[in-house]
Amino acid sequence: MDKYMITKLSDYKWKVERDTSIGMNVPGIIYSDKKLLEHTIKEGAIDQIANVAALPGIIKASFAMPDIHFGYGFPIGGVAAFDPEADGIISPGGVGFDISCGVRAMRSSLEIDDIKNRIEDMMSFISFSIPRGLGGKGKIDLSKKDMDRLLSGGAGWAADRGYGHKEEIEYMEEGGHMEGADPAYISETARKRGARQLGTLGSGNHFLEIQVVDKIYDRAASDIFGIYENQIIVMIHSGSRGLGHQVCSDYIKVMQKASEKYGIKVPDRQLACAPIYSPEGKRYYGAMACAANYGMANRQCLAHWVSGAMERYFKTSSERLGLSTIYDISHNIARLEEHDIDGIPKKVCVHRKGATRAYGPGRPELPPAYRHIGQPVIIPGDMGTYSYILLGTETAMKESFGSVCHGAGRMMSRSKAKKMISGSELKKNLKTEKGIIVIADSMSGLAEEAPEAYKDINSIVEISCMAGLSKKVVRLRPMGVIKG
């Protein structure tokens, strides 16, 4: 640890000084308080921040959000932008295996009194409509032609086929569709893995939660979002399933050869990469965009299944239940975006791995209804903990390429959590102590995702806001959780 010089910039911002002797091209910037910084150092994630800082074409800094923890190549919670005109690279390790893992938040006209005495029955009913679990199969069979159109069209493809409403697409990042997708770059193995998984929740940290609005911090913004006290919110956390995982696996092999081909020396093989506009870089970007479109379509279908289940349970229409999308975001993605670099608008490739886009007011990419206040940022908790909806800020645009944290961040490995925590006891305690109903197919999987295995979400959000990367709008309390 002595090889790094860490300078305190504020109570919530730290600088890993640039060290050219270990190849760093830029410094590292960590958004953290002192306590969490000590954990980051102990875990060894500083090495990953420094490794990213050594990649060609990196701009400004190698950023780490408050929820940073050790990952594959990049740290989870890592953000880095690369200049295509300065040998900037693109790396699957900077996106991760669960491409477009993300969150959708849906409002309703239901209030806590409408469901508090029937939450267990309601969650059980909904659970039968949500395919989930490791390798879970969905309700949609995709032909090759359907798959190609889905991979190109994203959530719009799903809405055009009656899975949800077309008007919801406006309230998704990039309108539910990532440009640059090319199905020709998707392997047959990836296609097979994704053929029966559209509209499935998956396993691990993915979930469906029924939540209640617990606290409002910004009344004006919450009114614009259509959110009020004691209102019931639905939150869906899922990604691109096996297809996205396979895309990452396929292109790690491609990039390992590309790194050698282009003479790129990486400090860690997991950071294998290629120049953004090289043939290999373009192929990965096209395949990653396809996986992102799959992930967004997946959440669109899941939202449709949830709405249908609630219609049947309450015996009324989703319109009368007020079910509609507040916003839908992706966490694991690399995008070509325009940012202000030294006063000049420039297109750069921003990698956000376990990080959320947090655009400030005025960006044309935002829905017209939200453009004047900034992007909604959805920060999910972990079963027994709060979730938050925040706003992106101008400070985030200036400092972190419009990026902020994506959740609490792991404090404990999955294997350690399974050794220390009983899933069945956790489920029982959440019900008796917090009144939270949990439905899970795997008790060992439940133990892996226990709140104790994660950092304190309240601290993570507080750091993000005190650092100026986001602003609090509302806090959401879980009432019922469905896990894979």
Side-chain angles (χ1 to χ4, degrees), residues 408-421:
R410 292 198 76 89
M411 199 79 167
M412 187 188 300
S413 70
R414 286 185 164 87
S415 59
K416 185 176 180 180
K418 284 195 289 188
K419 290 177 183 177
M420 295 184 62
I421 300 164

Side-chain angles (χ1 to χ4, degrees), residues 236-295:
I236 299 168
H237 182 195
S238 190
S240 53
R241 306 290 284 109
L243 183 139
H245 194 284
Q246 190 63 46
V247 166
C248 185
S249 297
D250 290 341
Y251 281 90
I252 284 171
K253 297 174 185 175
V254 171
M255 293 304 188
Q256 285 172 347
K257 293 180 181 178
S259 294
E260 296 178 8
K261 173 182 174 182
Y262 295 105
I264 301 172
K265 294 182 179 179
V266 293
D268 179 352
R269 278 177 56 84
Q270 294 181 355
L271 291 173
C273 57
I276 297 165
Y277 290 147
S278 67
E280 295 87 349
K282 289 178 180 178
R283 282 166 54 201
Y284 172 65
Y285 193 90
M288 179 201 61
C290 285
N293 287 337
Y294 188 103

Side-chain angles (χ1 to χ4, degrees), residues 5 41 95 120 139 143 217 230 244 248 258-259 272 275 310 317 322 345 398 456 480:
M5 180 181 293
I41 293 169
V95 174
E120 189 164 8
K139 307 174 185 180
S143 67
Y217 302 93
N230 296 320
C248 185
S259 294
M310 292 181 71
S317 68
K398 293 176 181 176
D456 176 21

